[in-house]
């Protein structure tokens, strides 16, 4: 008998910030799906617009302020994940190209829901499927090609990695 799938739908907004051929990423500290490198961003608060949420999340997770240059596109990912009473996660992600306008990289304030333990600049060569979320890999693909595909990305054997253990 096949186990019934119960899918949690997650929706988030994420910033692609690139300088000197490096991408700004956060180090994930917790959450239902963790990779060492992830994109700054996250979910919306009550009555918050997409751009407002992206700027707030970016600053909370990195210490930097940003200006949105353009909305890059939307990607979605479906993968198995034992979290709460769910068996799968369907993550819908809106990507924005952003430019740093101020601030300094800083260790983020820790509060309930904060999943960043800090930010860093990485080269394209440093990001691999073993240490980076699909969001990071898609951002790098977009930086190389300036386009995103229209596919839903399904992962049958999702591997959760511990933050900074790779």
């Amino acid at each position: 008998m096949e186990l019934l799938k119960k899918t949690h739908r997650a929706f988030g907004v994420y910033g692609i910030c690139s300088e000197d051929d490096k991408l700004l990423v956060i180090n994930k500290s917790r959450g239902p799906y963790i990779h060492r490198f992830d994109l700054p961003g996250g979910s919306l608060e009550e009555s918050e617009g997409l751009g407002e949420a992206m700027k707030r999340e970016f600053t909370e997770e990195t210490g930097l302020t940003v200006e949105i240059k353009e909305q890059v596109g939307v990607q979605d990912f479906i993968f198995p994940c034992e979290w709460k009473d769910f068996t799968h996660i369907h993550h819908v992600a809106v990507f924005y190209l952003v430019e740093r306008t101020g601030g300094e990289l800083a260790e983020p304030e820790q509060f309930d829901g904060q999943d960043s333990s800090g930010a860093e600049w990485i080269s394209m060569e440093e990001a691999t499927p073993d240490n980076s979320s699909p969001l990071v890999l898609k951002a790098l693909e977009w930086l190389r090609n300036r386009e995103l595909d229209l596919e839903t990305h399904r992962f049958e054997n999702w591997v959760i990695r511990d933050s900074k253990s790779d």
Side-chain angles (χ1 to χ4, degrees):
M1 178 170 134
E2 184 178 329
L3 194 63
L4 291 176
K5 292 181 182 179
K6 187 169 180 188
T7 302
H8 170 72
R9 184 156 296 113
F11 179 84
V13 291
Y14 300 90
I16 300 172
C17 186
S18 176
E19 294 179 6
D20 302 320
D21 293 323
K22 292 192 175 217
L23 177 67
L24 186 66
V25 297
I26 62 167
N27 290 296
K28 292 287 272 193
S29 59
R30 64 174 183 235
Y33 38 99
I34 297 176
H35 278 80
R36 178 174 179 195
F37 301 136
D38 205 358
L39 279 186
S43 59
L44 284 67
E45 292 182 351
E46 192 70 32
S47 299
E48 189 174 43
L50 297 176
E52 295 168 305
M54 203 288 311
K55 288 179 181 180
R56 175 188 50 76
E57 285 280 349
F58 204 97
T59 300
E60 284 177 0
E61 293 181 345
T62 69
L64 302 178
T65 56
V66 293
E67 174 186 335
I68 295 173
K69 302 311 276 181
E70 68 178 285
Q71 188 182 83
V72 170
V74 178
Q75 294 279 267
D76 65 324
F77 309 90
I78 299 173
F79 51 89
C81 183
E82 297 295 326
W83 179 66
K84 296 187 179 180
D85 60 344
F86 298 102
T87 61
H88 289 74
I89 296 208
H90 181 190
H91 191 155
V92 179
V94 180
F95 291 95
Y96 290 91
L97 178 63
V98 300
E99 184 175 281
R100 175 174 34 169
T101 58
E104 298 283 331
L105 284 184
E107 187 170 323
E109 176 186 341
Q110 295 301 306
F111 54 85
D112 189 34
Q114 175 64 275
D115 62 356
S116 171
S117 61
E120 65 181 284
W121 296 96
I122 63 167
S123 68
M124 289 190 181
E125 295 76 30
E126 289 177 81
T128 69
D130 287 332
N131 67 14
S132 301
S133 74
L135 299 174
V136 169
L137 299 176
K138 280 293 167 190
L140 291 171
E141 181 180 312
W142 185 84
L143 287 168
R144 282 189 294 270
N145 305 322
R146 291 298 200 239
E147 64 182 27
L148 294 175
D149 59 46
L150 300 174
E151 303 297 317
T152 296
H153 299 275
R154 298 174 190 273
F155 300 89
E156 298 301 323
N157 298 306
W158 184 263
V159 177
I160 298 175
R161 311 225 187 264
D162 292 330
S163 179
K164 293 193 175 190
S165 68
D166 293 330

